[in-house]
Amino acid sequence: MRADRLVSLVLLLRQRGRLSAATLARELEVSTRTVLRDIEALSAAGVPVYAERGRHGGFELLPGFQTELTGLNHDEALALLIAGSRRGAQAFGLGSALASAMLKVVDALPEGHRDTAADAVQRLLIDPETDLLSRRLDTEEVPDTIVAEVRRAVFAGHKLRIHYAATGQTPKWRTVDPIGLVTVRDQGYLLATRSGADRTYRLSRIVAAEELPEPAQRPDRVDLDRAWQERSTRFRTGGDQVTVLLRVYPTRREDLVSTALAVLAEEADADGWLRLEVTFQDSRHAEWALWQLSTSAEALAPQWLRTALRNRAATIAARYECQPES
């Protein structure tokens, strides 16, 4: 860990010039005392870093100092920087490692391309935290210690013991055979088997995790994309899910699709509206989703959903029928 931090410290000084101990500590997520010890270690190793005292002082490298990192061309580094700006690494507890890697990517560029690549990244925004309607995207915080333990078991091919809190249940310990990790819309999942049966665990619901020394029972080769698709299909077609036939105005189609579990069929109506057959998690989910679309959608079947929406609209209309006294 310290070796990686020392490299990151050197790269920060190369790319930004003179930096104070407080700034370096904030960037490296350590104390200023640790930064000072790292500076001493770099000096002892022959890295030409020196201190400039005064109000605007800080630490700086001698001009012309070069690190020995593999070179990348401009487009290769830009592609890595764009990929690194996505939040998937956060879901797997690799945020700090990603930040360190991005410093190395920028530093590996030819000197003439370094500034242009950094400037190009500032002109691109990938997966912002909110959409155009200021709706915040759901993100889940998972302790790094838990994710790191899960990740080690996955990569080592070892069994994993997890303290898992399923929906509406108290946490229970269970031993699983990990297969892989998946991130979807900033939510992380562990794909595993338990007693030979497929299981999918949400990382945010793992209270504790312990890598075991025993080898996991898993295929030699796994197609994670296919495994995820198969499990998604089983999820969408099981439980209390309901299928709804509806009409929706084209401009609200994406709002509908973003809340539904799956679109089973779709065709255009003669009046320009879209007719879709979709599935929802349960009856409450279906009623809520259609109500959000107001007059831009119409449930055609089943009848109980039409009745529920009509009753809700009648209740709202009755409540606002009389003006309150001033």
Side-chain angles (χ1 to χ4, degrees):
M1 288 293 293
R2 191 188 187 195
D4 288 340
R5 190 175 67 243
L6 291 175
V7 172
S8 295
L9 193 157
V10 172
L11 296 178
L12 282 169
L13 294 177
R14 270 181 50 78
Q15 294 167 22
R16 301 191 192 178
R18 184 183 304 165
L19 294 173
S20 67
T23 299
L24 288 168
R26 185 171 59 253
E27 292 287 341
L28 299 172
E29 298 181 350
V30 296
S31 66
T32 53
R33 180 175 298 180
T34 298
V35 168
L36 296 177
R37 287 200 298 264
D38 287 348
I39 293 292
E40 291 180 1
L42 289 172
S43 296
V47 177
V49 58
Y50 67 95
E52 186 72 26
R53 304 194 180 277
R55 180 180 177 185
H56 301 292
F59 296 101
E60 193 170 357
L61 293 169
L62 286 176
F65 175 72
Q66 298 289 329
T67 53
E68 295 181 0
L69 294 173
T70 302
L72 298 171
N73 65 39
H74 178 272
D75 288 346
E76 290 171 339
L78 182 58
L80 288 174
L81 290 170
I82 292 172
S85 67
R86 302 181 70 88
R87 295 192 296 272
Q90 303 294 338
F92 296 148
L94 294 170
S96 299
L98 176 63
S100 175
M102 290 303 100
L103 284 172
K104 296 176 183 178
V105 168
V106 172
D107 197 81
L109 283 170
E111 189 166 353
H113 293 164
R114 195 172 300 134
D115 293 339
T116 57
D119 182 65
V121 172
Q122 293 176 4
R123 299 169 188 263
L124 301 170
L125 179 61
I126 313 297
D127 288 342
E129 293 186 357
T130 58
D131 63 13
L132 286 174
L133 298 179
S134 297
R135 294 175 299 195
R136 191 172 184 85
L137 301 179
D138 292 333
T139 56
E140 297 180 334
E141 296 294 333
V142 185
D144 288 347
T145 53
I146 292 178
V147 182
E149 195 73 8
V150 173
R151 195 173 63 239
R152 280 195 292 269
V154 170
F155 292 157
H158 289 169
K159 287 183 178 293
L160 178 69
R161 189 166 177 259
I162 58 175
H163 200 207
Y164 190 75
T167 305
Q169 300 180 20
T170 56
K172 296 180 180 178
W173 284 101
R174 58 202 74 188
T175 300
V176 302
D177 296 297
I179 292 176
L181 292 166
V182 177
T183 176
V184 181
R185 296 180 181 177
D186 296 326
Q187 295 176 352
Y189 298 88
L190 167 67
L191 272 59
T193 60
R194 185 179 176 209
S195 300
D198 289 344
R199 293 289 185 269
T200 302
Y201 300 100
R202 200 156 171 168
L203 292 182
S204 61
R205 293 177 182 161
I206 298 178
V207 181
E210 177 187 1
E211 178 191 2
L212 301 178
E214 297 91 344
Q217 300 297 317
R218 65 187 304 274
D220 293 334
R221 297 181 61 86
V222 176
D223 186 339
L224 270 185
D225 185 61
R226 181 176 179 180
W228 178 256
Q229 292 296 332
E230 291 174 348
R231 296 184 188 203
S232 298
T233 300
R234 287 198 296 269
F235 174 78
R236 290 195 301 267
T237 56
D240 299 324
Q241 290 144 3
V242 296
T243 300
V244 175
L245 180 64
L246 56 86
R247 290 177 357 116
V248 64
Y249 198 66
T251 57
R252 301 301 302 275
R253 179 191 181 280
E254 292 306 316
D255 294 330
L256 169 70
V257 172
S258 66
T259 60
L261 290 180
V263 177
L264 305 180
E266 179 176 352
E267 62 181 4
D269 265 354
D271 58 3
W273 284 49
L274 299 174
R275 183 179 293 252
L276 290 86
E277 185 178 5
V278 301
T279 57
F280 292 103
Q281 186 68 49
D282 50 34
S283 58
R284 293 179 60 187
H285 181 202
E287 183 180 343
W288 173 86
L290 270 294
W291 184 258
Q292 304 308 305
L293 296 173
S294 185
T295 57
S296 296
E298 178 189 1
L300 302 176
Q303 183 59 45
W304 62 259
L305 180 56
R306 291 178 60 85
T307 301
L309 291 169
R310 183 185 65 237
N311 292 342
R312 179 183 285 210
T315 301
I316 294 293
R319 178 166 298 173
Y320 288 97
E321 184 175 2
C322 299
Q323 292 292 332
E325 295 181 1
S326 58

